Amino acid sequence: REGGRRRRRRRRDYHDVDVDVVDGGGGEVSDASSSSLAKVAWLALGSRIATTLLTFLFDYLVRDLDSSAQLEWQECYGDGRSTAGTTWLDGLFGGHGGGGSRPRGSAFAAALGSSVVWDGVHFVRVCQCGYEFDHQIAFLPSWPLLMATFRSAVLEPALRSVGRGDALDRALGCALSGLLLSNLLFVASAVSLHRLAVKLGLGPSLAATACALYAFNPATVFYSSIYTESLYNFLHFESMVHLFEEKESLLGVLVSTGLLTVATSVRSNGILSCALVAAVRMRTTLRCLVRRFWDCGGRGSVVVEGGHSWLVRLAGQGLLAGVQCLAIVSPFYVYQISFQLGWCQAYKDEIGGGLSQQALEGELDAMGAGWCKGNPYVPKVYSSIQSSYWDVGLLKFYRLSQVPNFIMALPIWACTLFELRESLGWLLLDTPWADLPRALVTLLGDRQAFGQVALCLHWMLMLLVSVLIMNVQVSTRFLSTCSPLYLVTARLTQDKGKRTKVRWILNFFATYGILGCILFPNFYPFV
């Protein structure tokens, strides 16, 4: 199945627990030892220190491409609306206030300010002032809200306790909070990745290899910057640990769903996690059908069961899948509706009454608020902002001027396609059609293999989004949040027949990791 390895399977009737798999990764381990997790945490922390130092070093040595990099942040002033608090989000961020233009009097403050680049500028601004401009709607609230909470609850009291309460203004406090949180959450996400790898049968050794790859991944600079990747990966990886439990429990369902729900309030692609939830529910449903209509002992006879309890179970799984997916999508929906109700009403009040519907819509278009037209309960502001400011949309990025960005994205696309072929080829391409039903039945009984396949299919979905819809230069960062990138690469390191390709992947990781530390902090197009 992988590199020609033979797998030894112990088959059981599907009325029993999941099938065990013994493979080159060392088999199933119920829980990672504390010493292994500690080593992973130290490795992740060391990688963050190294990445941060390299980033600041290259920021000092290399001249910024963008001449606006050193502009002072301005005071908070809103978006032309007469009053603050037009959405519930403004209350969470404390309204519009806080200084940002006070001169920075120390080298530390200057270095900290220069680290706020690209999307980090928007996250710091939202943390400092709340949502002021429509383009900021593209940046979901949980990350800047966490930064603001850490600043007010931890950073500012700590500075006051040592008599330095005025050392940082509100904006710089947000920046320092973002940098500290991003690095600390990366360490937590590496530990969660190790736990996930062990749960999926890689064993402690391969799990450690996967975490080492993650520590020095091709998008490593973003995990030490004021970006959402570290927080999102921690939530996503940890949710998968509970989603793929050996024996599903109500607590596990609640924890995994809760973590995925929060993840969607951090990054919009969190809604794609519904595919993973649907896969787990589908597995339970199909196993129920197998027990009903398939004799897993190999005789092929129909199993006869009394009553209709299996129908109730199938309906229950479908209902549970719907509830979980609604919970996961809900933050993204509520977030958009809050702007479409609050801001749009403020815009309409500013325009004034007495206009026909057509004239009102024309005024909204002139204000750049075309997303206020139509039913306010149909979410559209996020896609409208992404399309207007960043050309996000189906094939919208396919222009001749974007060829350099496509070249930048090619390595991660090639790596993903190769590893998906290695992971899923046995099922999708190599299994004869006549043997496919039996292969699928076997897969349903193998919790670890099923979890790996589900994650790879989710990875494939992410790849399609990066190729067809989003601005392609962020593909490396976008796909670096997929755990199979590290799990599959770790497995391939044990395959002697794949050494050349693995070496290519490792070179890609190292090259992009170093390039990111050089280009990203200096406003070069590495985003």
Side-chain angles (χ1 to χ4, degrees):
R1 174 176 167 178
E2 294 189 33
R5 292 193 185 93
R6 297 179 60 86
R7 285 174 160 240
R8 175 166 52 88
R9 300 182 181 273
R10 178 161 55 89
R11 297 184 180 275
R12 292 185 180 181
D13 189 282
Y14 281 84
H15 290 277
D16 297 329
V17 296
D18 292 343
V19 176
D20 295 324
V21 178
V22 179
D23 60 73
E28 183 179 2
V29 179
S30 61
D31 192 16
S33 67
S34 59
S35 60
S36 296
L37 294 179
K39 290 178 181 178
V40 167
W42 281 111
L43 174 64
L45 181 61
S47 73
R48 292 312 90 201
I49 294 173
T51 300
T52 301
L53 290 177
L54 281 176
T55 302
F56 278 103
L57 175 63
F58 287 123
D59 183 43
Y60 176 76
L61 295 176
V62 181
R63 183 175 181 179
D64 289 325
L65 176 67
D66 189 340
S67 60
S68 67
Q70 296 301 323
L71 292 179
E72 297 286 347
W73 292 311
Q74 302 299 314
E75 296 285 346
C76 304
Y77 48 80
D79 188 27
R81 296 180 298 281
S82 57
T83 59
T86 55
T87 72
W88 58 274
L89 290 166
D90 291 293
L92 294 178
F93 287 100
H96 294 156
S101 59
R102 180 173 58 80
R104 300 161 185 163
S106 68
F108 173 75
L112 182 59
S114 68
S115 70
V116 183
V117 295
W118 293 111
D119 289 359
V121 175
H122 302 289
F123 286 122
V124 167
R125 185 67 180 185
V126 174
C127 171
Q128 175 194 358
C129 304
Y131 288 88
E132 302 175 292
F133 306 99
D134 62 351
H135 69 269
Q136 293 173 330
I137 299 173
F139 303 92
L140 271 63
S142 285
W143 174 232
L145 181 60
L146 180 61
M147 290 163 54
T149 303
F150 186 86
R151 183 204 67 229
S152 60
V154 179
L155 196 58
E156 290 176 353
L159 290 173
R160 285 195 297 269
S161 69
V162 295
R164 297 298 304 276
D166 60 345
L168 297 174
D169 62 15
R170 191 171 182 177
L172 287 174
C174 286
L176 182 57
S177 297
L179 288 174
L180 291 174
L181 285 170
S182 183
N183 285 279
L184 292 174
L185 286 166
F186 179 85
V187 176
S189 69
V191 172
S192 294
L193 178 63
H194 188 279
R195 297 177 64 223
L196 175 61
V198 171
K199 178 146 292 190
L200 294 180
L202 268 71
S205 178
L206 280 183
T209 301
C211 291
L213 292 165
Y214 177 56
F216 299 98
N217 71 76
T220 186
V221 68
F222 300 102
Y223 294 89
S224 289
S225 304
I226 308 173
Y227 271 61
T228 58
E229 275 67 24
S230 293
L231 174 58
Y232 177 82
N233 277 11
F234 167 67
L235 295 168
H236 186 72
F237 294 166
E238 189 64 24
S239 70
M240 294 300 103
V241 173
H242 297 277
L243 185 65
F244 294 115
E245 284 183 334
E246 180 176 358
K247 292 184 178 180
E248 192 172 61
S249 64
L250 176 61
L251 179 62
V253 171
L254 292 175
V255 171
S256 63
T257 305
L259 290 170
L260 290 174
T261 300
V262 178
T264 305
S265 69
V266 176
R267 292 177 60 88
S268 60
N269 60 277
I271 62 177
L272 299 179
S273 299
C274 289
L276 291 166
V277 170
V280 171
R281 301 274 71 83
M282 181 187 69
R283 175 181 181 245
T284 304
T285 300
L286 292 177
R287 281 168 60 83
C288 180
L289 289 175
V290 164
R291 285 194 291 267
R292 172 71 180 176
F293 297 114
W294 189 291
D295 179 8
C296 295
R299 294 186 299 275
S301 58
V302 175
V303 178
V304 179
E305 295 180 359
H308 300 284
S309 61
W310 65 279
L311 289 174
V312 175
R313 185 173 181 182
L314 293 184
Q317 289 297 316
L319 179 61
L320 180 57
V323 171
Q324 286 182 279
C325 290
L326 282 176
I328 292 169
V329 173
S330 62
F332 192 48
Y333 176 81
V334 172
Y335 173 71
Q336 294 185 77
I337 299 307
S338 67
F339 288 104
Q340 292 177 195
L341 291 176
W343 282 27
C344 290
Q345 186 59 51
Y347 288 143
K348 292 174 183 177
D349 291 344
E350 183 177 339
I351 293 172
L355 297 178
S356 66
Q357 184 65 25
Q358 184 176 1
L360 176 62
E361 292 181 354
E363 290 293 329
L364 289 172
D365 284 329
M367 296 177 67
W371 45 271
C372 286
K373 297 186 295 186
N375 189 335
Y377 293 98
V378 176
K380 49 187 174 293
V381 58
Y382 185 83
S383 59
S384 175
I385 295 298
Q386 288 279 14
S387 177
S388 299
Y389 288 95
W390 287 277
D391 287 331
V392 174
L394 183 62
L395 302 179
K396 289 191 66 174
F397 228 66
Y398 280 71
R399 300 191 300 271
L400 191 60
S401 60
Q402 298 298 334
V403 169
N405 288 324
F406 278 90
I407 294 174
M408 183 184 296
L410 280 178
I412 189 64
W413 289 350
C415 177
T416 300
L417 286 172
F418 167 70
E419 296 199 357
L420 285 174
R421 173 64 178 85
E422 292 297 312
S423 304
L424 301 176
W426 69 273
L427 178 64
L428 301 180
L429 301 175
D430 300 336
T431 302
W433 283 100
D435 298 334
L436 190 58
R438 176 63 65 177
L440 290 174
V441 169
T442 302
L443 180 64
L444 292 175
D446 188 338
R447 174 184 57 85
Q448 295 171 340
F450 181 86
Q452 294 176 43
V453 168
L455 287 171
C456 285
L457 291 174
H458 175 260
W459 191 14
M460 183 186 299
L461 183 60
M462 295 272 284
L463 174 65
L464 290 174
V465 171
S466 72
V467 172
L468 299 177
I469 297 176
M470 60 189 300
N471 38 359
V472 296
Q473 70 264 39
V474 305
S475 294
T476 302
R477 172 164 62 94
F478 184 68
L479 295 175
S480 73
T481 63
C482 298
S483 57
L485 176 62
Y486 315 106
L487 306 181
V488 176
T489 304
R491 283 192 179 278
L492 291 176
T493 59
Q494 288 198 329
D495 191 342
K496 295 181 180 180
K498 299 290 190 305
R499 282 183 176 177
T500 300
K501 294 182 175 63
V502 170
R503 190 178 299 115
W504 182 92
I505 294 172
L506 297 180
N507 288 336
F508 158 58
F509 274 43
T511 301
Y512 267 55
I514 294 173
L515 279 176
C517 292
I518 299 172
L519 301 177
F520 173 77
N522 294 291
F523 277 95
Y524 284 84
F526 191 93
V527 294

